[in-house]
Amino acid sequence: MMRHWKTALMAALLGAAVPAAPLVAQAPNYAPTYAQDRAEIEDLMARYLFAIDYFDWDAYMATFAPDAELEFASGTYRGQAQIREAVTRFSENIGRFYHTEDGQPAKLRHVVLQSAVRVEGDRAWGTTLWVEMANNGPGDEMKMGTYGIYEDQFSRLDGRWLIQRRRVLNEFLPGRESGPDNPVRGMDAAADAARGSGG
């Protein structure tokens, strides 16, 4: 009896000392079409990465809206012409940094990991962790290279999801880090604001 009383007293004291907190964050309100929209957006992101890794710039540009914006470490580029010029120039120089032991350009492979996606009508937001690897390790073995976060805005135009704005955070570079706050909270706030304004 005494043991049960002490256990109850300890539980009461702990409960008084630690304020109650929700166990999970409030979940977004997913529309009935969310699964379809998310599948199309994930397919779009995969096509973007395959296009980069295989230098297919026509396919790459097909993932962007006509008035899209792309921000990465070298600057911010707006519209199809600026974006194409920036990424092809970057690609031409990549062999200086990523190369095999005999000096040949390494094969880069980009991978996306976890991705949070919010959809509100014909607009969507994404926060995605990405990593990049190449065969530029000792003996031309695979070496994990860079990593970061994609902060995305998507638009559905003529029935197709496209990248409206992509901010590439290269977290290995000073000044290009995410945080300190959870970036998904910022994405949710933008989606909630759009829903509240009706667009």
Side-chain angles (χ1 to χ4, degrees):
M1 181 73 177
M2 182 65 78
R3 188 180 57 159
H4 293 302
W5 180 84
K6 287 182 178 177
T7 302
L9 178 61
M10 185 61 74
L13 289 173
L14 287 174
V18 180
L23 296 177
V24 294
Q26 184 176 353
N29 182 22
Y30 297 115
T33 58
Y34 177 78
Q36 176 70 28
D37 291 328
R38 183 182 176 109
E40 292 178 14
I41 290 168
E42 288 184 357
D43 183 74
L44 175 72
M45 291 193 287
R47 291 175 183 276
Y48 171 99
L49 293 183
F50 277 116
I52 287 178
D53 289 343
Y54 289 89
F55 314 110
D56 186 350
W57 302 121
D58 289 338
Y60 179 83
M61 295 311 305
T63 66
F64 286 94
D67 58 345
E69 180 177 297
L70 174 66
E71 176 196 331
F72 60 103
S74 68
T76 301
Y77 307 93
R78 296 176 178 87
Q80 294 262 338
Q82 279 191 12
I83 292 172
R84 186 176 191 124
E85 195 277 331
V87 297
T88 52
R89 183 177 66 243
F90 177 80
S91 176
E92 289 165 359
N93 293 324
I94 202 70
R96 292 188 300 148
F97 306 100
Y98 294 89
H99 53 79
T100 57
E101 290 187 343
D102 63 358
Q104 296 300 309
K107 291 181 180 178
L108 271 66
R109 295 293 181 261
H110 290 78
V111 179
V112 291
L113 302 174
Q114 64 264 29
S115 184
V117 177
R118 285 286 304 272
V119 179
E120 295 295 337
D122 289 332
R123 298 176 65 191
W125 293 259
T127 302
T128 303
L129 175 63
W130 62 268
V131 296
E132 167 269 314
M133 61 192 76
N135 62 329
N136 64 331
D140 297 343
E141 292 180 354
M142 187 279 288
K143 177 182 175 183
M144 187 69 72
T146 59
Y147 63 96
I149 299 285
Y150 291 139
E151 292 184 341
D152 291 321
Q153 295 176 25
F154 305 98
S155 294
R156 181 164 33 207
L157 302 174
D158 298 324
R160 290 182 58 225
W161 284 106
L162 296 169
I163 299 169
Q164 188 65 52
R165 184 176 193 276
R166 168 157 281 188
R167 183 177 185 224
V168 182
L169 293 176
N170 315 85
E171 298 205 272
F172 52 95
L173 297 177
R176 300 297 300 171
E177 307 93 342
S178 64
D181 295 331
N182 177 356
V184 174
R185 289 186 178 273
M187 178 197 74
D188 281 337
D192 290 342
R195 183 175 59 201
S197 67

